Amino acid sequence: MRRAVCPGSFDPVTNGHLDIIARASRLYDVVHVAVMINKSKQGLFGVDERIALIEEVTADLDNVVVESFHGLLVDFCKQRDIPAIVKGLRAVSDFDYELQMAQMNIGLSGVETLFVPTNPAYSFLSSSLVKEVAQWGGDISHLVPGPVLEALNSRLRQR
Ligand code: PNS
């Protein structure tokens, strides 16, 4: 079984994330989507909500498994025998930090990182920007899957 992980905060999952997950699912037998828990970052959505949204929008991808993890990504990989991390690269500005993480991760444990160029339609897209635009009533319907749009609108109405 060839396994890979797509890690992230996914607060919330966007069409950009979904594009990378779907492409990874065509390259590997099993793709683990890892919602990494960062206790110092208060998210708009709780970890269980993020997982439920990712599960809903990846329901058509049979080989995708969604999990959360608190700890180092390389330990998530070690526990599941995952040799590869798949990351989207949106622009050159992503590269410096992503390269640092990739080099740290291979140095720590030998886990490889594979970079996939983001679909140009999503090269400016991030969960933070989506939340900011939605908060001020901007149209993000082309940037997130339907269930995420509903969840965002409902969460922002509660605030
Ligand atoms: O969606 P994000 O917030 O850009 O994802 C970053 C993430 C969660 C993939 C990264 O911070 C991560 O791997 N965190 C887990 C903790 C860890 O392994 N840190 C060392 C990275 S070299």
Side-chain angles (χ1 to χ4, degrees):
M1 282 271 201
R2 289 175 314 145
R3 295 176 184 275
V5 59
C6 290
S9 304
F10 302 108
D11 184 39
V13 64
T14 67
N15 285 347
H17 294 128
L18 199 50
D19 177 56
I20 299 297
I21 294 167
R23 287 158 68 189
S25 83
R26 293 195 285 272
L27 296 170
Y28 289 89
D29 297 319
V30 182
V31 170
H32 296 254
V33 177
V35 178
M36 302 304 289
I37 300 171
N38 181 347
K39 291 214 163 127
S40 63
K41 251 198 208 169
Q42 169 76 23
L44 181 63
F45 294 100
V47 171
D48 290 344
E49 293 173 304
R50 297 180 209 179
I51 289 179
L53 284 170
I54 302 168
E55 280 177 342
E56 188 174 352
V57 303
T58 58
D60 59 327
L61 303 171
D62 293 343
N63 59 344
V64 169
V65 181
V66 190
E67 295 165 272
S68 63
F69 193 73
H70 184 227
L72 285 175
L73 180 56
V74 291
D75 288 333
F76 177 92
C77 293
K78 210 179 295 172
Q79 289 169 16
R80 291 158 183 78
D81 202 18
I82 299 172
I85 300 164
V86 175
K87 287 275 192 91
L89 270 189
R90 288 169 296 193
V92 175
S93 51
D94 277 346
F95 187 71
D96 274 352
Y97 186 47
E98 290 296 342
L99 182 64
Q100 280 179 18
M101 286 197 285
Q103 289 171 329
M104 177 63 83
N105 285 332
I106 198 166
L108 283 172
S109 69
V111 174
E112 291 284 1
T113 299
L114 288 98
F115 293 118
V116 175
T118 294
N119 179 328
Y122 306 129
S123 60
F124 59 92
L125 185 51
S126 70
S127 299
S128 317
L129 267 187
V130 157
K131 286 182 281 191
E132 188 175 335
V133 173
Q135 195 179 341
W136 296 106
D139 180 11
I140 50 150
S141 57
H142 55 304
L143 302 176
V144 294
V148 174
L149 184 64
E150 275 173 37
L152 260 173
N153 286 337
S154 134
R155 180 56 43 90
L156 294 171
R157 268 199 304 273
Q158 290 165 7
R159 296 194 142 199

